[in-house]
Amino acid sequence: MTMETAAAPRRARPFALPMALVRPVVSLGLLFGLWEIAARTGTISAFLFPPPTAILASLWVSAGPNGDPPFGTLLDIALSLYRLLAGVGLALVLGSLIGLAIGLTRWGRAIFKPIISAIMPIPTLAWTPILLLVFGIDNRTTITVVFIAASFEIIYNVVTGIEMMTRKTYWVAASMGASRIQTLRYVIVPGILPYLITGLKLGVGYAWRALIAAEMLAASSHGLGFMIYDAQEYMDMKSIYGGILTISVLGLLIERGVVGALEKRTIEKWGVNVER
Amino acid sequence: MSNVENILAHPVRETVVPAPRPKITAEGAGVRFGSVTAVEDFTTTIREREFVSIIGPSGCGKSTMLYAIAGFLKTTSGVLKVDGEPIVKPGPNRGIVFQEFVLFPWRTVLRNITLGPEIAGLPRAEAEERARKWIRLTGLGGFEDAYPATLSGGMKQRVAIARALTCEPDILLLDEPFGALDVQTKNYVMKDLQDLWIAASKTILMVTHSVQEATLMADRVLILGARPSRIVADVKIDLPHPRDPADPRLGQYRQEVTAILSAEVDRSMKIERSR
Ligand SMILES: Nc1ncnc2c1ncn2[C@@H]1O[C@H](COP(=O)(O)OP(=O)(O)OP(=O)(O)O)[C@@H](O)[C@H]1O
Ligand SMILES: [Mg+2]
């Protein structure tokens, strides 16, 4: 019985996979195609809406050795990714710890819950002026913005993961003679992992958007946000669109590629549902 | 079947065993949740290698009593002992199986079953060796690397039973272990549990709703009364194991237990209504 149910989705996959690829290619191709024609024929302003091929060409140049500075776009990408990684990494560690404290201890709930409730409604970007005064135009400013943006979803989901665990789960561990540390290691940590990954996925999404915006505010520090901001000064429309395109592609790669791979190794492999 | 007939033909082993020691002793044990008294007075002695079943109207405190013996809940009155020692907390000498299985979805079947020995500090190889024995006896062979989500209910319950047994408890506590299974699967798992009990020589305490399950498997059936509950009858099923469900003597025991239970259910419904 289990063999049959396991084989059914596998058989469907060869047809499902190309369709999943074909659909976005068709719809995006249509959009960019029309844009290209409209810009080339002068139906829309080629200055405000440069044709996509021209955007790609300009991106190709600015990312290469003839860019100004050479490999400038690559440097922007590297810096943005570095800030994202550092901020999200920090959020992952601290967010998980705070989430565990709230979910498992009375003092954690008493200390962190009110603070989080107070901070949560504030848009992350509202912190940028303060951070700029504290850190100056520095990677620490943008990393902190990423950290704040990513933290809440991680904390929230870790707490939810703990709340979803039934007392019977703990009882099973206890009847095996598990100590508190062993319960944490063998039951709580793996049990909240699917929730942590869901939190990470959402958190990274927020963080990526907040980072780009913060890079535009905390200018002259490179990064993709700065690239767009800087191009606006020179009315370099192609670079603006190039930046936006890069942000979209990278955001998609991080969410689908990195976090998606984590989901495959855990949530999908275990066949668990994450309820929120 | 031939195995069953074989054992039925030679029930000698049972009669030569001397009277076993008391394993679980309860004297007026009670559990209260705030103003709700779940169990009022639970008094009984369960001996080593006995298979005892607890049956009673819904909400009469069967699970509560089982959890108190497991050490998950504290008794609020009376005395509850295992091996002569008061129960203070859960421990590997008492294995638990829930109706809802409560498997760890992030662990494969094998890893679910080895968790107990792993927690006890056994090296992985040794833990696996122990697990293999119970995997074989519970009929889980070939499913070692499957994740629980891919298993049927019957298979999940086998994993839960194997997981409890791999901790090598003296006492196996079962809370409606067949409640979530369909009739066909239930009969299989029930038969396996009987064989396991004979092979493993454990003390088993099983909560159930089913008179048929209780009389088929247990040496004694404890009937709990309506809440606040106490034991209203202690019926000894004096038939050798393993039993044939078609045995007419079993039918008599079923009638006896059903009669007492119906009276209690009637009484509990009357109490409910008069509130
Ligand atoms: N944690 C709790 N807090 C308050 N009341 C509880 C708690 N657990 C159980 N009870 C109450 O205690 C009584 C006995 O519950 P218990 O689950 O032991 O009954 P049961 O005999 O196992 O019932 P069922 O056959 O439905 O499983 C019920 O009235 C229940 O509402
Ligand atoms: Mg119950």
Side-chain angles (χ1 to χ4, degrees):
Chain A
M1 257 226 326
T2 27
M3 292 298 281
E4 272 170 27
T5 47
R10 202 170 296 155
R11 212 173 298 143
R13 210 161 274 167
F15 299 96
L17 200 78
M19 264 322 282
L21 277 174
V22 165
R23 234 176 282 130
V25 166
V26 167
S27 99
L28 286 175
L30 210 66
L31 174 73
F32 287 123
L34 285 175
W35 179 354
E36 181 84 29
I37 292 165
R40 295 272 178 214
T41 56
T43 315
I44 53 173
S45 156
F47 169 70
L48 288 176
F49 306 102
T53 49
I55 295 169
L56 283 177
S58 130
L59 201 57
W60 179 257
V61 171
S62 66
N66 299 326
D68 173 33
F71 305 107
T73 304
L74 291 186
L75 186 69
D76 287 327
I77 291 174
L79 258 166
S80 285
L81 287 181
Y82 159 69
R83 289 164 185 156
L84 184 77
L85 202 70
V88 169
L90 211 59
L92 204 55
V93 174
L94 288 179
S96 301
L97 289 176
I98 293 172
L100 283 172
I102 294 175
L104 296 174
T105 68
R106 205 164 301 161
W107 59 264
R109 225 162 305 156
I111 295 172
F112 292 114
K113 257 203 153 161
I115 298 179
I116 288 172
S117 302
I119 296 181
M120 199 114 113
I122 305 170
T124 317
L125 275 194
W127 297 103
T128 321
I130 301 170
L131 294 171
L132 275 174
L133 290 175
V134 176
F135 295 128
I137 293 170
D138 187 295
N139 280 335
R140 280 177 297 178
T141 303
T142 38
I143 288 172
T144 308
V145 168
V146 169
F147 164 71
I148 296 170
S151 288
F152 293 111
E153 282 297 339
I154 291 172
I155 294 171
Y156 176 81
N157 278 281
V158 165
V159 174
T160 309
I162 294 170
E163 282 169 356
M164 285 293 170
M165 233 171 276
T166 66
R167 60 180 186 162
K168 286 182 183 170
T169 314
Y170 296 113
W171 285 353
V172 169
S175 75
M176 290 173 171
S179 64
R180 301 191 80 185
I181 295 293
Q182 283 175 322
T183 307
L184 188 71
R185 174 178 162 195
Y186 291 113
V187 177
I188 298 170
V189 169
I192 61 171
L193 209 56
Y195 291 85
L196 183 61
I197 290 166
T198 303
L200 181 68
K201 186 177 181 174
L202 295 165
V204 163
Y206 288 135
W208 182 242
R209 289 166 182 79
L211 171 67
I212 303 301
E215 281 174 345
M216 299 179 83
L217 288 178
S220 97
S221 54
H222 288 284
L224 288 167
F226 174 73
M227 172 182 165
I228 297 170
Y229 180 82
D230 197 44
Q232 186 217 330
E233 298 271 285
Y234 300 98
M235 294 202 286
D236 179 359
M237 295 306 289
K238 285 178 211 153
S239 287
I240 295 179
Y241 284 112
I244 290 174
L245 187 70
T246 313
I247 290 161
S248 161
V249 170
L250 281 178
L252 212 63
L253 279 178
I254 292 162
E255 214 167 286
R256 295 281 167 83
V258 180
V259 186
L262 278 176
E263 277 180 330
K264 274 221 177 63
R265 277 159 185 274
T266 55
I267 303 175
E268 285 178 30
K269 191 164 114 187
W270 301 341
V272 297
N273 293 318
V274 174
E275 290 163 41
R276 278 165 45 83
Chain B
M1 268 319 257
S2 68
N3 189 31
V4 173
E5 282 160 5
N6 198 17
I7 297 172
L8 275 174
H10 308 279
V12 211
R13 229 180 17 172
E14 291 227 321
T15 47
V16 289
V17 179
R21 288 184 298 136
K23 195 74 193 166
I24 304 165
T25 44
E27 291 157 35
V31 180
R32 220 178 35 241
F33 300 104
S35 60
V36 178
T37 307
V39 182
E40 172 97 86
D41 168 11
F42 191 85
T43 304
T44 193
T45 301
I46 295 168
R47 295 183 176 275
E48 218 163 31
R49 272 177 277 117
E50 241 187 326
F51 192 138
V52 175
S53 191
I54 301 180
I55 199 165
S58 189
C60 72
K62 305 180 292 292
S63 300
T64 303
M65 205 52 229
L66 197 75
Y67 300 162
I69 294 168
F72 305 146
L73 302 174
K74 299 238 178 313
T75 47
T76 46
S77 60
V79 186
L80 196 57
K81 289 178 178 169
V82 165
D83 290 328
E85 296 287 322
I87 295 165
V88 285
K89 59 173 187 174
N93 64 334
R94 285 152 288 154
I96 182 85
V97 175
F98 295 107
Q99 177 177 351
E100 317 88 309
F101 326 124
V102 196
L103 302 179
F104 302 116
W106 56 88
R107 290 186 154 235
T108 60
V109 166
L110 178 66
R111 291 266 149 267
N112 259 280
I113 297 171
T114 56
L115 184 59
E118 272 177 59
I119 282 173
L122 248 67
R124 208 164 239 211
E126 218 169 300
E128 276 180 25
E129 201 180 301
R130 252 210 232 174
R132 300 250 179 241
K133 172 181 158 195
W134 294 110
I135 286 174
R136 189 163 41 78
L137 287 172
T138 48
L140 285 167
F143 287 89
E144 287 90 342
D145 297 325
Y147 282 90
T150 63
L151 300 180
S152 65
M155 281 307 201
K156 283 183 190 160
Q157 199 53 294
R158 283 164 208 263
V159 177
I161 293 170
R163 182 178 64 183
L165 288 171
T166 304
C167 297
E168 301 190 344
D170 303 336
I171 302 169
L172 192 58
L173 304 168
L174 306 155
D175 192 3
E176 299 188 36
F178 315 118
L181 309 182
D182 61 86
V183 180
Q184 305 297 334
T185 317
K186 184 178 101 170
N187 288 339
Y188 272 112
V189 184
M190 213 150 72
K191 164 102 183 43
D192 288 348
L193 181 64
Q194 275 179 289
D195 293 346
L196 279 178
W197 173 62
I198 293 166
S201 70
K202 308 271 179 211
T203 309
I204 296 187
L205 187 54
M206 179 178 83
V207 167
T208 177
H209 266 126
S210 153
V211 176
Q212 194 238 336
E213 278 172 28
T215 49
L216 179 66
M217 306 180 82
D219 295 316
R220 274 163 63 206
V221 179
L222 304 180
I223 305 170
L224 283 194
R227 211 162 49 81
S229 57
R230 56 185 72 234
I231 297 172
V232 294
D234 182 341
V235 181
K236 189 164 167 50
I237 312 290
D238 211 352
L239 296 173
H241 292 276
R243 294 172 185 154
D244 177 5
D247 189 334
R249 288 173 297 175
L250 213 50
Q252 280 167 13
Y253 281 118
R254 269 202 300 269
Q255 276 173 17
E256 184 184 342
V257 173
T258 307
I260 304 169
L261 191 61
S262 308
E264 273 315 310
V265 174
D266 281 351
R267 208 168 67 82
S268 92
M269 293 310 253
K270 276 199 195 103
I271 295 170
E272 293 260 306
R273 288 213 188 103
S274 68
R275 268 197 202 121

